Amino acid sequence: MAFDKMELKDIEVWDGNFAAAQALRQSQIDVVAAYPITPSTPIVEGYAKFLADGYIEGEFVMVESEHAAMSGCVGASAAGGRVATATSSQGFALMIEVLYQASGMRLPIILNVVNRALAAPLNVNGDHADMYLGRDSGWIQLGAYCPQDAYDLNFIAFKVAEDHDVRLPCMVHQDGFMTSHTAQGVHTLTDDVAYSFVGDFKPMNDMLDFEHPVTHGVQTEEDWHFEHKARQHNDLMTKVLPKIQAAFDSFEKLSGRKYNLVESYDMADADVCVVCMGSSVETAREVATEMRAKGIKAGVVGIRVIRPFPFMEIAEALKGVKAIAALDRSSPNGAPGMLFNEIAGALYNTADRAMLCGYIYGLGGRDLTKKHLANLYTELQANVDAGKITTQLQQFIGVRGPKLAFL
Amino acid sequence: MSEMKKVKNLKEFSTSADRFEGANLLCPGCAHSIIVREVLNATNDDLILSASTGCLEVCTAVYPYTSWDASWIHVGFENGSTAVAGAESMYKALKTKGRLKQPDRNPKFVSFAGDGASYDIGFQWISGCMERGHNMMHVVLDNEVYANTGGQRSSSTPIGSSATTSPAGRKSYGEKKNKKDIVAIMAAHQIPYAAQVAPNKWKDMVKKIQYGMQVEGPVFINAVSPCTTEWKFDPKDTMHITDLATDSLVFPLYEIIDNHELNITYRPKNVVPVEEYLAAQGRFKHLFKDEYKYLIKEWQERVDAKWDMLQRREEARV
Amino acid sequence: MANIGWDEFEIGAMLRTFDGKIDDIAGTLQEDRAYSPNSSFVASVADWRIKKPVFNKDFCIDCQFCWVYCPDLSIIARDKKMIGVDMDHCKGCGICVEVCPTNPKSLLMFNEHTDEETALAQWPTKEEKE
């Protein structure tokens, strides 16, 4: 082996970016094609430093744009090896067509998305605009709430994506700055344990097998396209969630850390509940506990698997809740938020249709404070007490100016 | 480094076992296919190929058929070159890690793209590949328009050509801008080899492709690909038009080694007037109207000036 | 290949050119390769033609211009000799006739429906240069 192992402490103080870079190092990637963009740049820089210091053996290609980064990843993955990269925001937007190409070609590429707002106006801070842009790209999408998650979920991502029954690319999302640049004590795995969880890369339909040449990236017109897209959707709908669950179970045995398709917190008898993604989940959990002390039966549902959307599992987690708030960290620009719509879809045909409200928050890195959430839970409780929604269906939290409420 | 196959003459070359198949959807008489065959037959080594969106890609890989007998990938319009660069990177990684399935082979990495994909939308991607030094070859199939979508102008479309987005009309003689010198631009990336080729001079093309495949680093090849459908000539005349292109010096055949040595590789015995080249194609027929005849004169002047410049560079050994 | 359902093909719309393993493609002639049903080699574009080339080997000098300039790999050359035209893959473009250097030409275009015997019987004689 022409690279050195790293001795890690049991707990290292890492921010989300460095945690992701370490996970990529430990996964022994064959080709990383990457481009820098705030706030994901440190992942790529961390990886480059590992390479320069001899902790990585493999190719690191610093290309000339994010579109080229994902294009290089697609070519490398089709050639037949382990591939990963990282980006944010504008870079994610630039590579969007290649994301669809990668998933349509069923190539297991891992993409760390450090979520950041989309211009215009230009903003380098954290929100979920980029995540929402890639919603329908056909990728498996996992959401980290903290650096520990960013570290762990990368291993899960490789294991699930590269499975020959899955063969779909996978994104690991983390909040820009709030997770990526915030350090935390991260429980580590040793290099050997981490790599053995991910396992050796097993090629499939690899171009570099000269005895079995393959053609990748064909054209399909009205006589074939529907079948190919149907197949991709079928595999996302039927194969992926069980594989993710199995990976979560193995990972729990290995590390003691338990991940769930839907992260329910104090939901057993909750009357009111906040559903959200990213670092806000942790804030909401703290506030929910405080609301409990005040006599409000508050819970939190964190979205862990964003795609495939755990439709049944979310409906199950929200059973019995009387008032739900769906928090979207992206401006829907003329419609209810994505999470609001998807939860509404999951609940619409259920017997106990809870009261559902949408909140838009935290755009461009604007903080979601505990006070905001406390007010929100109080509003939800008011809905429960009145037996109907007492506010408008969509409200903006934390924006200066006259109160913004719609629908 | 593997031994390049010996190709002394055409009879010897004809013993090649093609790795590109017929019954594809290319127009009858399409030069793309002739060029691809010459490039692929120049070597016996394994190939990893790509094509950017365009005539070649769209006509040779429509599900459920593929015309490619080597591993081939299409990703998008801009990024065929980068896809091959990614594959080449994976090859290097697996070689280092000892995971190649057939470690004794010496694959060649070749990306094909049209002029639209290379001069325009994929320009940055190719530039990146050339700059990063990947051991690959990019071949432009230059038919001077976006042929696959019906003949719109690209930055390779020459002055006076009637393309659908720069059509000749009552008030216009068609394309107003001249083609950019893509070979010089790519050579300026300090790549080991850049060259212009034409399918009629098969031996010149094979020699250049073989040189490009043997040299370490990125190689850029611009191949003139006369298009029966968009240049508007009879399919049977493809080689005749290519002859006019090279013999009128509209498409001079030369090579640039390490960006400081230019060699002209074909000097026609009889140089044909540019007017004959233009007269043979429907896309230039409006230039023969009295009001536009001056453009034919300007064409000849431009071609002469370019030829003069190439000769001076060759002489000065720069 | 028949229009099969969404569950019946390989994922990623990936296609394999050959059935099983192939050792040395560049060293194996087409007739010896195990093409899969997905190689366009097994398809035919004969119905594209209005005219077809007819080969008259009496005049052929095996120069192989037709082989190198045929866009559709429809000139079959074996052991440095021109054997014939692959009528499944020939689109009738006529390039082979144009590049044939012999006098009279060894390849000429005839109506698609003309049979070979008739075509050969109609072959022109050597053209005298003025």
Side-chain angles (χ1 to χ4, degrees):
Chain A
M1 242 188 322
F3 62 95
D4 295 325
K5 298 217 188 126
M6 220 185 241
E7 285 286 317
L8 298 172
K9 299 205 275 285
D10 285 339
I11 300 181
E12 293 275 1
V13 180
W14 288 342
D15 61 23
N17 275 339
F18 199 68
Q22 282 283 7
L24 294 181
R25 177 189 66 79
Q26 291 182 311
S27 302
Q28 294 183 34
I29 300 169
D30 297 319
V31 171
V32 169
Y35 190 80
I37 181 167
T38 308
S40 64
T41 308
I43 297 181
V44 159
E45 289 175 334
Y47 193 84
K49 191 73 168 71
F50 292 144
L51 180 69
D53 288 340
Y55 292 112
I56 287 175
E57 179 181 54
E59 291 294 305
F60 179 59
V61 191
M62 277 307 278
V63 293
E64 76 290 347
S65 83
E66 292 92 343
H67 186 293
M70 188 48 65
S71 304
C73 285
V74 167
S77 184
R82 181 162 288 156
V83 175
T85 187
T87 195
S88 305
S89 177
Q90 311 305 132
F92 184 87
L94 188 62
M95 60 162 73
I96 199 83
E97 69 161 347
V98 198
L99 296 179
Y100 279 72
Q101 289 156 354
S103 72
M105 289 162 69
R106 304 296 292 267
L107 296 170
I109 301 165
I110 302 309
L111 174 64
N112 275 275
V113 189
V114 181
N115 300 127
R116 166 187 147 186
L118 283 171
L122 186 63
N123 176 292
V124 298
N125 268 290
D127 77 22
H128 295 160
D130 52 9
M131 182 207 293
Y132 284 22
L133 179 63
R135 188 189 65 172
D136 293 349
S137 55
W139 284 54
I140 302 168
Q141 301 188 40
L142 307 172
Y145 308 155
C146 59
Q148 181 73 63
D149 295 355
Y151 179 69
D152 293 340
L153 291 176
N154 265 286
F155 301 123
I156 304 285
F158 281 107
K159 197 169 177 74
V160 174
E162 293 176 1
D163 188 312
H164 282 196
D165 293 330
V166 174
R167 286 284 292 200
L168 283 160
C170 182
M171 294 178 201
V172 177
H173 294 283
Q174 60 172 293
D175 283 352
F177 287 102
M178 289 161 292
T179 305
S180 67
H181 285 63
T182 310
Q184 177 191 54
V186 175
H187 295 267
T188 63
L189 300 172
T190 64
D191 283 7
D192 285 338
V193 167
Y195 184 72
S196 75
F197 177 80
V198 174
D200 289 336
F201 180 83
K202 292 183 197 56
M204 181 171 159
N205 304 334
D206 43 324
M207 292 207 291
L208 285 171
D209 181 353
F210 301 111
E211 290 173 354
H212 298 89
V214 287
T215 292
H216 279 286
V218 298
Q219 179 169 351
T220 59
E221 286 304 325
E222 72 280 356
D223 52 347
W224 281 107
H225 195 75
F226 205 175
E227 281 71 26
H228 286 287
K229 297 316 284 181
R231 174 61 176 273
Q232 187 180 346
H233 180 76
N234 172 79
D235 291 356
L236 276 157
M237 291 296 272
T238 60
K239 298 190 178 156
V240 176
L241 289 180
K243 290 279 182 178
I244 295 178
Q245 186 59 60
F248 282 166
D249 293 340
S250 310
F251 194 79
E252 190 193 352
K253 287 202 191 68
L254 188 75
S255 67
R257 293 188 288 283
K258 185 169 161 61
Y259 290 92
N260 303 286
L261 297 181
V262 175
E263 303 286 6
S264 292
Y265 177 83
D266 219 353
M267 287 298 295
D269 63 340
D271 280 339
V272 297
C273 159
V274 158
V275 187
C276 58
M277 298 194 266
S279 58
S280 308
V281 175
E282 299 195 322
T283 319
R285 287 173 181 169
E286 263 194 46
V287 175
T289 306
E290 288 169 11
M291 301 313 286
R292 285 267 178 184
K294 296 201 180 110
I296 293 178
K297 294 206 226 155
V300 181
V301 167
I303 307 292
R304 176 65 73 196
V305 181
I306 303 157
R307 283 290 181 272
F309 183 67
F311 192 89
M312 301 298 192
E313 291 79 0
I314 296 239
E316 186 61 39
L318 293 172
K319 232 195 210 144
V321 178
K322 301 201 179 87
I324 304 167
L327 270 52
D328 280 295
R329 197 167 201 154
S330 173
S331 176
N333 284 318
M338 180 186 99
L339 207 49
F340 177 95
N341 284 333
E342 299 200 350
I343 291 173
L347 296 180
Y348 189 79
N349 292 305
T350 58
D352 55 2
R353 236 198 283 167
M355 290 180 279
L356 176 65
C357 292
Y359 293 84
I360 309 297
Y361 76 99
L363 300 191
R366 178 64 50 85
D367 248 341
L368 179 72
T369 64
K370 289 174 67 170
K371 189 149 187 274
H372 289 140
L373 282 163
N375 288 341
L376 200 158
Y377 274 118
T378 308
E379 255 176 38
L380 291 176
Q381 186 60 46
N383 293 344
V384 174
D385 295 338
K388 63 176 171 55
I389 298 177
T390 58
T391 62
Q392 278 171 280
L393 288 181
Q394 182 184 68
Q395 298 180 76
F396 273 56
I397 304 175
V399 66
R400 291 187 300 275
K403 174 81 187 150
L404 270 177
F406 307 95
L407 304 173
Chain B
M1 202 164 61
S2 61
E3 273 285 308
M4 270 289 139
K5 72 194 243 190
K6 303 260 189 297
V7 181
K8 270 204 322 267
N9 51 46
L10 189 50
K11 283 199 194 213
E12 215 172 272
F13 196 39
S14 76
T15 61
S16 305
D18 278 283
R19 284 180 284 176
F20 180 63
E21 298 301 339
N24 52 52
L25 304 175
L26 291 164
C27 297
C30 177
H32 279 13
S33 182
I34 306 172
I35 296 164
V36 167
R37 287 187 60 214
E38 290 177 21
V39 171
L40 266 46
N41 285 334
T43 179
N44 282 334
D45 280 323
D46 294 283
L47 296 162
I48 300 283
L49 308 172
S50 81
S52 296
T53 312
C55 282
L56 184 70
E57 171 266 325
V58 150
C59 294
T60 60
V62 177
Y63 200 87
Y65 289 115
T66 171
S67 301
W68 299 93
D69 292 356
S71 278
W72 178 95
I73 184 167
H74 160 252
V75 187
F77 203 176
E78 314 86 329
N79 52 14
S81 56
T82 311
V84 154
E88 184 256 1
S89 302
M90 183 55 77
Y91 172 74
K92 290 212 288 272
L94 296 187
K95 191 168 189 175
T96 309
K97 297 188 183 190
R99 277 173 31 217
L100 285 171
K101 284 182 178 167
Q102 296 99 22
D104 299 325
R105 313 255 191 140
N106 281 296
K108 305 296 177 217
F109 295 85
V110 182
S111 58
F112 288 98
D115 52 287
S118 304
Y119 286 59
D120 290 349
I121 200 170
F123 188 66
Q124 168 214 305
W125 285 250
I126 301 168
S127 170
C129 291
M130 299 292 115
E131 180 274 324
R132 288 191 301 273
H134 292 283
N135 200 15
M136 63 179 274
M137 175 185 290
H138 184 82
V139 179
V140 184
L141 301 164
D142 191 356
N143 53 26
E144 299 190 324
V145 277
Y146 287 92
N148 186 226
T149 43
Q152 296 79 32
R153 66 89 65 186
S154 77
S155 61
S156 170
T157 307
I159 289 184
S161 165
S162 181
T164 59
T165 47
S166 58
R170 281 185 297 150
K171 301 269 174 92
S172 171
Y173 57 77
E175 176 58 42
K176 304 277 191 316
K177 306 273 186 292
N178 201 13
K179 327 174 40 128
K180 58 192 185 197
D181 188 349
I182 195 95
V183 176
I185 294 171
M186 292 304 165
H189 286 65
Q190 308 297 336
I191 55 177
Y193 193 64
Q196 185 144 280
V197 299
N200 59 336
K201 301 296 170 203
W202 69 269
K203 203 161 190 197
D204 177 79
M205 179 170 327
V206 169
K207 193 156 176 262
K208 287 169 169 159
I209 299 297
Q210 289 194 334
Y211 182 88
M213 284 182 172
Q214 286 200 109
V215 83
E216 190 74 29
V219 170
F220 185 83
I221 304 284
N222 196 47
V224 60
S225 187
C227 173
T228 156
T229 307
E230 299 307 337
W231 293 19
K232 316 229 184 298
F233 57 82
D234 200 280
K236 69 174 177 18
D237 292 327
T238 302
M239 298 322 295
H240 172 59
I241 299 291
T242 319
D243 284 338
L244 288 174
T246 52
D247 292 350
S248 65
L249 304 173
V250 169
F251 272 95
L253 301 183
Y254 61 98
E255 60 186 7
I256 305 179
I257 300 176
D258 292 321
N259 198 33
H260 68 72
E261 186 187 314
L262 189 147
N263 299 316
I264 294 172
T265 58
Y266 173 62
R267 292 185 141 80
K269 263 207 296 269
N270 300 309
V271 176
V272 160
V274 170
E275 184 165 344
E276 234 179 270
Y277 169 74
L278 300 172
Q281 303 163 58
R283 64 177 172 148
F284 291 121
K285 74 170 187 287
H286 54 284
L287 296 183
F288 290 84
K289 290 208 275 237
D290 284 333
E291 72 224 77
Y292 293 140
K293 280 225 167 90
Y294 74 95
L295 288 166
I296 300 178
K297 188 163 165 292
E298 285 181 6
W299 255 93
Q300 186 67 62
E301 285 165 4
R302 262 197 314 277
V303 169
D304 290 344
K306 174 84 192 260
W307 182 243
D308 186 52
M309 185 274 286
L310 289 172
Q311 289 180 102
R312 278 187 281 128
R313 259 192 82 169
E314 186 186 44
E315 213 178 284
R317 306 314 289 141
V318 289
Chain C
M1 187 164 125
N3 280 355
I4 52 182
W6 63 264
D7 56 336
E8 294 176 274
F9 44 69
E10 298 230 35
I11 58 168
M14 190 246 5
L15 291 170
R16 280 183 213 292
T17 312
F18 302 109
D19 275 336
K21 190 171 99 128
I22 182 155
D23 250 323
D24 172 22
I25 306 171
T28 312
L29 295 169
Q30 290 179 319
E31 55 267 26
D32 299 326
R33 296 175 186 166
Y35 288 103
S36 77
N38 296 119
S39 171
S40 69
F41 178 78
V42 311
S44 171
V45 285
D47 57 356
W48 288 36
R49 289 195 301 268
I50 307 168
K51 291 197 148 109
K52 67 178 176 190
V54 174
F55 174 52
N56 188 333
K57 72 175 175 29
D58 292 344
F59 301 106
C60 177
I61 57 171
D62 296 306
C63 70
Q64 308 296 356
F65 283 176
C66 55
W67 172 85
V68 73
Y69 297 129
C70 174
D72 293 292
L73 297 105
S74 297
I75 300 292
I76 307 172
R78 292 288 176 268
D79 299 315
K80 305 185 184 180
K81 290 204 172 341
M82 200 308 206
I83 308 291
V85 180
D86 178 345
M87 294 314 265
D88 283 328
H89 294 153
C90 170
K91 292 172 183 163
C93 70
I95 287 178
C96 54
V97 171
E98 290 303 304
V99 300
C100 179
T102 63
N103 185 1
K105 287 186 186 275
S106 313
L107 286 154
L108 287 170
M109 298 303 279
F110 286 85
N111 194 283
E112 176 68 14
H113 304 293
T114 310
D115 70 80
E116 199 172 315
E117 249 183 69
T118 313
L120 290 170
Q122 291 174 7
W123 216 263
T125 52
K126 181 173 175 152
E127 236 177 67
E128 297 304 324
K129 282 266 164 75
E130 248 105 89

